[in-house]
Amino acid sequence: MTILHVHELSKRFHIHQIEREVAAFDWVSFTLHAGEFLLVRGPNGVGKSTLLRCLYRAYVPSAGQAMFTSTAGAIDLARAADVDIMWLRRSEIGNVSQFLRPRPRVSALDLVAEPLLLLGHDWETAQREAREWLAAFGLKPEIWSAYPATFSGGEQQKVNLARALIAPRRLLLLDEPTASLDAEARAALVERLGQLKARGVAMIGVFHHPEDVRGLIDNELYLAPPDSGSRRNGEEYANVAE
Amino acid sequence: MAATMFDAPRLVITRPLLQARGLVKRYGRLTAVDGVDVTVYPGEMLGIVGESGSGKSTVLRLLNLEEATDGGEYYLDLPEYDGVNLFDLDRYHRREVRINQIGIVYQNPHLGLRMRTTSSGNVAERLIMAGERTFATLRRTARESLAVSEFPLDRMDDLPIRLSGGMQQRVQLAKAIALKPAALLLDEPTTGLDVSVQALVLDTLIRLRRELRIATVIVSHDLGVIRTLADRVMVMRRGCVVEQGLTDQVLDDPQHPYTQQLVHAKL
Ligand SMILES: Nc1ncnc2c1ncn2[C@@H]1O[C@H](COP(=O)(O)OP(=O)(O)OP(=O)(O)O)[C@@H](O)[C@H]1O
Ligand SMILES: Nc1ncnc2c1ncn2[C@@H]1O[C@H](COP(=O)(O)OP(=O)(O)OP(=O)(O)O)[C@@H](O)[C@H]1O
Ligand SMILES: [Mg+2]
Ligand SMILES: [Mg+2]
């Protein structure tokens, strides 16, 4: 089943103060099916993070479509109403960012449990699952009830991953989630992603060290700088499974 | 402009709980609010940001039915007011809606509280206005509401004037939510509080947003507060909305020149 069909998606930033237009990426096209993992590659600054943010609608795409197959029907993420995007973010599209955004006075456990509470799960279930996820990523139980603002970078990222992955999703966007992780946590992440993938979750990921996730990758999308005069992005879209 | 950038909702079929269209307010020759639309869904928190004097507090006062408007319509999706433009109500019904269905927290606690009545008395006053007369019920409900706002209950018989700023805001909040309103209006609720107290108030607001299905509108100059609390944000300038969208989108990929300036000034 097709989960996402991206057609000629482009993003340009118009910076009014300097009256300049900055192109991030142009004409990106690809198709993603349930249970597939798409690796996005390309040099620094080519627009990999921007592409993921456009799909999460933290950025507004400038042109093109991104048709997402939601359980409630097909919808173009580039044009969907804000409230529809809010609903999708709560229930179908997950975003794993590079850094945790700790909230003052909220413990690690509560931060991780929150997405389940938002989906209407009861407090006990949410706490139990949160503990299970934190344990899976190897966060020391002594600090589960502490405030993550004081955690090390790697510890914060474990909390971030647990929070991002705890609720069931149809599509996961992963922007360099392994950056600050130790080998053990990296292995735990890959294992969890593998389980989710087997359950049909589709994933789009940017990884600085793709060898971390080698066994998961089905397809690769190589982004070329917009002004490099190369072909449309997506034409060199390679199927590594072959 | 930005309002027409996207399609109408298709997946979310619930109706907005609070909907105002074409709000206008003039003070003499000054148009403080010039055609503002506000839509808030149940359980959603809408942020309003913008420069000083752009009309943010005036919008809240209009939504609180505390001033006459010079134009616009205002609906709350409640069975008893289905299809009723609240601006058309007579004084008696307006007061009833204000007391039972709208709660407000002002930046200045002197606007929202009687400083010479106890904290529990301030909350009970709301209930009395709604017709409650039994002393025991008043006391119990005031206590519950203060507890929900995480006010230290051993201080409930203190005068607000003797409380810290954070505690005063909790009394305002308790008063605002005592009658389980449809709409909660927050005008700079954490400004002037020190950072750790602010964090506690934010935490309470996040919990309330999750637990009560209220439509909340929050005005703040603090973009950090807006990012933490608001689902969507509206940017006002000179009485108009220049941009609106999902909070992360407006703050991270602002489209309007004024929003770009506002966001970068605060970074
Ligand atoms: N919010 C923004 N406003 C303006 N320009 C932006 C914004 N976000 C990204 N850009 C620009 O878009 C381009 C693509 O950036 P992006 O972060 O997507 O690259 P990337 O491929 O993820 O790079 P890296 O490998 O370094 O993470 C860059 O030129 C960047 O400066
Ligand atoms: N009662 C009033 N009489 C006359 N002018 C008023 C009155 N109330 C507000 N105004 C004017 O309306 C405009 C909008 O004021 P408002 O208080 O809504 O701004 P605001 O966006 O909340 O600003 P701030 O961020 O400084 O609180 C201002 O120019 C203000 O002086
Ligand atoms: Mg990046
Ligand atoms: Mg104001």
Side-chain angles (χ1 to χ4, degrees), chain A residues 35-49:
Chain A
E36 271 182 3
F37 186 110
L38 175 69
L39 179 75
V40 181
R41 298 179 51 212
N44 291 136
V46 79
K48 303 182 295 296
S49 298

Side-chain angles (χ1 to χ4, degrees), chain A:
Chain A
M1 181 171 70
T2 303
I3 292 289
L4 183 67
H5 182 70
V6 171
H7 181 66
E8 300 188 343
L9 199 71
S10 302
K11 174 60 182 171
R12 293 166 167 268
F13 296 100
H14 188 99
I15 303 168
H16 292 276
Q17 186 222 340
I18 50 169
E19 280 305 323
R20 268 195 59 199
E21 181 114 314
V22 177
F25 58 82
D26 273 327
W27 308 103
V28 169
S29 301
F30 63 85
T31 301
L32 186 70
H33 299 99
E36 271 182 3
F37 186 110
L38 175 69
L39 179 75
V40 181
R41 298 179 51 212
N44 291 136
V46 79
K48 303 182 295 296
S49 298
T50 301
L51 172 62
L52 296 190
R53 288 187 187 138
C54 282
L55 296 174
Y56 200 56
R57 260 280 288 287
Y59 289 174
V60 189
S62 313
Q65 287 106 48
M67 289 305 297
F68 175 70
T69 315
S70 144
T71 50
I75 188 154
D76 182 359
L77 299 176
R79 296 207 45 97
D82 292 328
V83 283
D84 283 343
I85 297 288
M86 281 166 56
W87 183 80
L88 289 170
R89 287 179 179 189
R90 259 195 318 270
S91 49
E92 303 201 349
I93 303 181
N95 179 43
V96 187
S97 58
Q98 250 173 308
F99 300 103
L100 178 72
R101 176 175 283 280
R103 273 208 319 267
R105 311 272 177 157
V106 183
S107 73
L109 203 52
D110 288 345
L111 264 180
V112 174
E114 190 175 56
L116 288 182
L117 295 178
L118 285 173
L119 285 175
H121 292 249
D122 64 72
W123 192 83
E124 273 81 33
T125 313
Q127 291 277 315
R128 180 164 24 82
E129 292 207 18
R131 276 194 217 99
E132 203 248 312
W133 277 91
L134 287 175
F137 287 121
L139 190 77
K140 305 192 284 262
E142 307 88 276
I143 61 172
W144 290 1
S145 306
Y147 305 134
T150 58
F151 290 8
S152 76
E155 287 166 345
Q156 290 198 8
Q157 186 57 357
K158 291 175 186 178
V159 176
N160 195 32
L161 289 171
R163 176 178 161 89
L165 298 176
I166 192 169
R169 303 294 185 199
R170 283 165 89 74
L171 173 64
L172 279 178
L173 306 168
L174 306 141
D175 194 356
E176 302 198 30
T178 51
S180 46
L181 293 182
D182 51 42
E184 219 168 305
R186 222 177 301 153
L189 173 65
V190 173
E191 191 192 323
R192 288 273 159 155
L193 292 179
Q195 289 165 1
L196 294 173
K197 190 166 138 49
R199 268 184 246 150
V201 179
M203 304 180 190
I204 306 177
V206 180
F207 287 82
H208 244 92
H209 301 287
E211 56 277 13
D212 288 348
V213 286
R214 180 170 296 131
L216 301 178
I217 302 168
D218 298 299
N219 289 304
E220 293 190 7
L221 174 73
Y222 184 80
L223 290 185
D227 46 6
S228 65
S230 75
R231 295 163 294 176
R232 288 181 172 191
N233 282 300
E235 282 180 5
E236 40 205 314
Y237 171 55
N239 193 326
V240 287
E242 286 166 3

Side-chain angles (χ1 to χ4, degrees), chain A residues 11 14 16 58 60 79 84, chain B residues 7 10-12 253 255 260:
Chain A
K11 174 60 182 171
H14 188 99
H16 292 276
V60 189
R79 296 207 45 97
D84 283 343
Chain B
D7 295 338
R10 293 177 46 201
L11 305 179
V12 172
D253 185 18
Q255 309 291 304
Q260 292 190 354

